[in-house]
Amino acid sequence: MSEIFTVIDLETTGLDHEKDHITQIAAIRTDGTREIGRFQTFVSLPNGVVIPPEITELTGIKTEDLDGAPTEWDALLALEAFAYGTVIVAHNAPFDLAFISRVFTTTRFVCTRALSKLVEPRESASLKDVCARHGIELNGHHRAMNDVEATVRVFEVLRSVAEVRRILYQNVLIDSDERPLRYVPPHAIVRTIKKEAF
């Protein structure tokens, strides 16, 4: 039986998993070649919390869009059920895994940002740049499902290269001066990249 992956993306009110909040969750289950299912939800904010204007500008999500949405706890429980028994995949996985760790943790994951650095060490690992290099469509960047759809394709392309080259990528994270790790999930294998001196 082939491995099943759940590719996820979160939109949030900011970058700090200790004080910011999730506003949107999207996920696609896949066996690496075909889609098996989708999950998507807005997430309500605690009373008095609003989405900062710069985040609305980036994502297009307004505070009022979240009215009537599930709480973060319920939304993450639903995501946990959707992803049960699968490998979690995310671009810049430490960010997403830090937020979901409020409700559940995963022991098996793939960071496609790290995968990109392992396969193409001298190239930019941003989702936008990886997609551009490989002819992958990325419409509406910074909306959760749009980013998930692009990450699914990025994973398919880079995974096949990594497996041909026998590059270990599952649970591997990259720590670098350019982007230091702010959260290290359980069972992570951390590889450090030092900035090259010119």
Side-chain angles (χ1 to χ4, degrees):
M1 185 175 161
S2 64
E3 207 155 33
I4 305 297
F5 303 91
T6 300
V7 183
I8 69 168
D9 186 69
L10 310 180
E11 300 303 335
T12 64
T13 58
L15 300 176
D16 188 341
H17 69 276
E18 291 182 350
K19 66 181 181 66
D20 289 309
H21 302 275
I22 301 169
T23 57
Q24 188 180 36
I25 302 172
I28 291 177
R29 270 175 81 116
T30 173
D31 65 1
T33 57
R34 66 187 176 87
E35 184 177 316
I36 298 167
R38 288 186 175 216
F39 171 88
Q40 184 169 218
T41 185
F42 280 130
V43 180
S44 64
L45 294 172
N47 287 336
V49 176
V50 296
I51 299 175
E54 64 273 17
I55 299 296
T56 294
E57 191 175 335
L58 184 70
T59 65
I61 301 171
K62 304 182 187 73
T63 303
E64 55 267 31
D65 294 335
L66 311 182
D67 290 346
T71 64
E72 184 172 281
W73 178 266
D74 287 340
L76 287 173
L77 282 178
L79 175 65
E80 182 183 27
F82 179 79
Y84 180 77
T86 68
V87 179
I88 300 282
V89 179
H91 203 78
N92 192 22
F95 174 83
D96 301 274
L97 296 178
F99 278 91
I100 72 171
S101 71
R102 293 169 176 177
V103 171
F104 72 99
T105 56
T106 181
T107 57
R108 297 185 305 146
F109 62 86
V110 174
C111 176
T112 51
R113 188 178 187 285
L115 178 56
S116 171
K117 277 293 183 192
L118 293 167
V119 171
E120 305 168 318
R122 297 191 174 276
E123 302 289 349
S124 164
S126 79
L127 183 60
K128 182 167 62 82
D129 291 342
V130 175
C131 287
R133 277 199 306 278
H134 294 281
I136 295 167
E137 204 170 320
L138 177 58
N139 292 321
H141 188 22
H142 295 299
R143 280 307 281 262
M145 188 55 80
N146 297 341
D147 286 357
V148 167
E149 289 173 342
T151 303
V152 167
R153 291 285 299 117
V154 165
F155 179 51
E156 287 170 0
V157 170
L158 297 182
R159 177 185 175 217
S160 62
V161 176
E163 290 186 351
V164 165
R165 295 187 195 165
R166 297 187 178 180
I167 296 171
L168 174 71
Y169 61 87
Q170 202 165 124
N171 286 32
V172 174
L173 298 178
I174 302 293
D175 187 29
S176 65
D177 298 334
E178 169 201 1
R179 190 180 286 233
L181 285 174
R182 296 169 77 171
Y183 172 78
V184 178
H187 305 285
I189 302 162
V190 178
R191 299 220 173 138
T192 304
I193 297 177
K194 292 291 181 194
K195 198 169 185 178
E196 292 180 14
F198 292 99

